Amino acid sequence: MEKTQLDSVVAELEGVLLKNSDPFSYFMLVAFEASGLIRFALLLMLWPVIRFLDVMGFENVGFKLMIFVAFAGVRESEIESVARAVLPKFYMDDIDMEAWKVFSSYEKRVVVTETPRVMVERFVKEHLRADEVIGSELVVNRFGFSTGFIKNDTRSISDRVAKLFVDETPSLGLGRPTATGSSFMSLCKDQMHPPFITNQEHDHQVLRPLPVIFHDGRLVKRPTPSTALLILLWMPFGILLAIIRLTLGTILPMWAFPHISRLFGGKVIVKGKPPPPVSSSNPGVLFVCSHRTLMDPIILSTVLGRKIPAVTYSISRLSEMIAPIPTVRLTRVREVDSEKIKRQLAKGDLVVCPEGTTCREPFLLRFSALFAELTDRIVPVAMNYRVAFFHATTARGWKGLDPIFFFMNPRPIYEVTFLNQLPMEATCSSGKSPHDVANYVQKILAATLGFECTNFTRKDKYRVLAGNDGTVSYISFVDQIKNVVSTFKPFIH
């Protein structure tokens, strides 16, 4: 049957569009990212109780208990921040592509969920291209804090769906046959239940979900009960391990880093041939790196066996203080920054990350062309890393904890790939524009890493994740102390 503009679909989120029917791990994410470790641990301890209530037929009571523990006393703005910056990545990883193929083939799309609407609305509308979301609503007091309760809506989900389709009947309903949230299915002309089987021949014509390029949060894996327990058990050992690694990195010479790294579980994989050290016959080069974490310049220096100064902008003062390499802080004033980089290049090698910020996903942000204007001695370096528990970058949190979270991972792995120095005909000396050179370097680094080039910038990332443009101003020592206190405050709530 040929579809018309009136074709519409109503789909359940949990267990249909998402493979996992249990939303517990997403509430765990909210607990950890919006509140802290204590609430995270408390919700995990209550998981057996929640499961027992489910088994005894009191699913609604267990669900409300989960909502209360995750949200009570948390600012509404903080919940929205987590829903904007953290949850979409984990939701996207859980998408059932067969269900998505059916869902996306309809003109009007409505998603029904049992979870609070604020958790899923941004992901569902921006990435799944849904028109409407029907979910529960949190009760927020006049001070902007969630009470942990949900509003008592006397209308059933079926009634709320019917209100959206006043003069028409939904063409298709996608839902689980036994789920309480699937009461809307009787309103639909046709019904489908998982598993879904679609025509594989037309996969190339399917509209794809909008990918998650930017995401925040410290947890690498979705905290299912077993993963969350593992994280909690590892936490004290991870903190001790991070302190040892950081202390040794501060006091030991650079040549000892590779040996110490292997001894304490780290691993660095090196590919390609690095250029020789600076000498009278061999002037310094500019290492142009893809930017994954703040550790990129340090790992590069470790591989080269010498301290290479790094251009920085947004790292914290604490990170600068404990960094084992010299740092050159930029101002984002083009003329001032040009002079700083030129002076440093006159002394020898220098490291720069033209993306201006980190990106966790397999994408490269747009490269600033400033580096191409200042030198023709350019060596591209592809950097990538793998960690098991904690991300070492943040847009919403305090960046001073970035190195600590990185070294808390049991076995952090870095991959460093040196590409050949750019030939003169690929630089500005041959008449190419700085933008052409920057785009070329971005392209070859992306090809080496198997990543995709984008035109997104630092400002785009921070607008998505933090609601600002990422501008960094000087923070006084007193304000830094306040940041530390606010970072650990959720741990003592």
Side-chain angles (χ1 to χ4, degrees), residues 349-389:
D349 297 334
L350 183 65
V351 184
V352 64
C353 299
E355 290 171 278
T357 188
T358 57
C359 183
R360 297 174 179 176
E361 293 302 293
F363 298 92
L364 291 187
L365 308 187
R366 191 175 72 196
F367 277 28
S368 166
L370 179 62
F371 74 89
E373 300 174 10
L374 304 179
T375 183
D376 297 326
R377 302 186 301 275
I378 298 170
V379 176
V381 184
M383 311 289 291
N384 204 1
Y385 81 114
R386 299 193 298 272
V387 288
F389 286 158

Side-chain angles (χ1 to χ4, degrees), residues 440-457:
Y440 173 69
V441 174
Q442 181 198 36
K443 183 179 178 181
I444 61 176
L445 285 175
T448 301
L449 292 165
F451 288 3
E452 191 175 323
C453 294
T454 75
N455 280 319
F456 292 115
T457 65

Side-chain angles (χ1 to χ4, degrees), residues 19-31:
K19 299 172 188 174
N20 193 355
S21 60
D22 185 3
F24 178 79
S25 57
Y26 299 106
F27 286 99
M28 289 290 286
L29 281 166
V30 173

Side-chain angles (χ1 to χ4, degrees), residues 313-314 331-332 458-459 462 468-475:
Y313 173 63
S314 62
T331 62
R332 296 283 172 175
R458 171 191 175 82
K459 287 186 178 181
Y462 277 84
N468 58 58
D469 63 3
T471 301
V472 177
S473 57
Y474 174 74
I475 301 177

Side-chain angles (χ1 to χ4, degrees), residues 84-395:
R84 177 183 66 237
V86 180
L87 296 183
K89 159 65 177 173
F90 295 95
Y91 281 135
M92 184 61 75
D93 289 344
D94 197 27
I95 285 291
D96 184 330
M97 287 306 298
E98 296 303 314
W100 160 254
K101 290 171 188 176
V102 177
F103 180 75
S104 63
S105 63
Y106 284 78
E107 182 67 25
K108 182 176 181 179
R109 310 179 190 105
V110 177
V111 171
V112 170
T113 177
E114 294 179 323
T115 58
R117 177 187 53 80
V118 67
M119 284 179 63
V120 305
E121 185 172 38
R122 187 180 183 96
F123 168 73
V124 164
K125 287 188 174 181
E126 291 192 4
H127 297 277
L128 300 188
R129 300 178 172 94
D131 300 294
E132 297 290 341
V133 181
I134 296 176
S136 56
E137 300 291 336
L138 291 174
V139 176
V140 179
N141 65 24
R142 61 193 180 96
F143 301 107
F145 290 88
S146 169
T147 62
F149 300 105
I150 55 177
K151 294 180 181 177
N152 290 322
D153 195 333
T154 55
R155 298 173 301 169
S156 66
I157 287 179
S158 180
D159 292 337
R160 295 168 69 185
V161 171
K163 187 178 179 181
L164 287 176
F165 295 89
V166 179
D167 299 321
E168 58 178 303
T169 301
S171 305
L172 179 66
L174 305 177
R176 292 170 289 167
T178 58
T180 56
S182 299
S183 59
F184 64 88
M185 295 286 281
S186 60
L187 300 175
C188 305
K189 294 177 184 176
D190 297 310
Q191 302 177 8
M192 289 182 68
H193 306 293
F196 303 98
I197 300 175
T198 57
N199 190 345
Q200 301 293 328
E201 295 179 5
H202 302 292
D203 279 2
H204 63 283
Q205 300 174 357
V206 174
L207 183 69
R208 300 292 177 183
L210 191 67
V212 177
I213 296 178
F214 303 120
H215 66 94
D216 205 30
R218 292 295 189 182
L219 297 182
V220 173
K221 297 179 180 178
R222 182 160 55 91
T224 59
S226 57
T227 301
L229 179 61
L230 191 60
I231 289 171
L232 286 173
L233 292 176
W234 173 255
M235 192 72 73
F237 299 102
I239 293 173
L240 178 62
L241 186 59
I243 293 172
I244 294 172
R245 285 168 167 169
L246 285 168
T247 302
L248 293 176
T250 304
I251 62 177
L252 292 177
M254 188 66 67
W255 60 263
F257 284 10
H259 309 289
I260 296 299
S261 174
R262 286 193 294 270
L263 183 63
F264 286 94
K267 183 179 181 181
V268 179
I269 301 170
V270 182
K271 301 175 183 178
K273 184 179 179 182
V278 176
S279 64
S280 56
S281 60
N282 185 52
V285 299
L286 182 64
F287 293 99
V288 179
C289 302
S290 56
H291 202 10
R292 307 301 281 172
T293 77
L294 85 169
M295 296 296 297
D296 294 338
I298 299 173
I299 298 297
L300 180 66
S301 293
T302 300
V303 169
L304 294 172
R306 59 186 188 274
K307 295 183 178 182
I308 311 295
V311 170
T312 68
Y313 173 63
S314 62
I315 69 170
S316 70
R317 298 289 179 178
L318 175 61
S319 297
E320 281 188 326
M321 285 177 4
I322 64 176
I325 61 173
T327 57
V328 180
R329 180 175 281 264
L330 298 186
T331 62
R332 296 283 172 175
V333 178
R334 195 174 187 83
E335 294 74 17
V336 175
D337 293 343
S338 295
E339 287 304 315
K340 282 188 173 185
I341 294 174
K342 284 179 181 177
R343 283 198 300 270
Q344 195 61 52
L345 280 171
K347 300 176 184 177
D349 297 334
L350 183 65
V351 184
V352 64
C353 299
E355 290 171 278
T357 188
T358 57
C359 183
R360 297 174 179 176
E361 293 302 293
F363 298 92
L364 291 187
L365 308 187
R366 191 175 72 196
F367 277 28
S368 166
L370 179 62
F371 74 89
E373 300 174 10
L374 304 179
T375 183
D376 297 326
R377 302 186 301 275
I378 298 170
V379 176
V381 184
M383 311 289 291
N384 204 1
Y385 81 114
R386 299 193 298 272
V387 288
F389 286 158
F390 308 107
H391 284 297
T393 59
T394 182

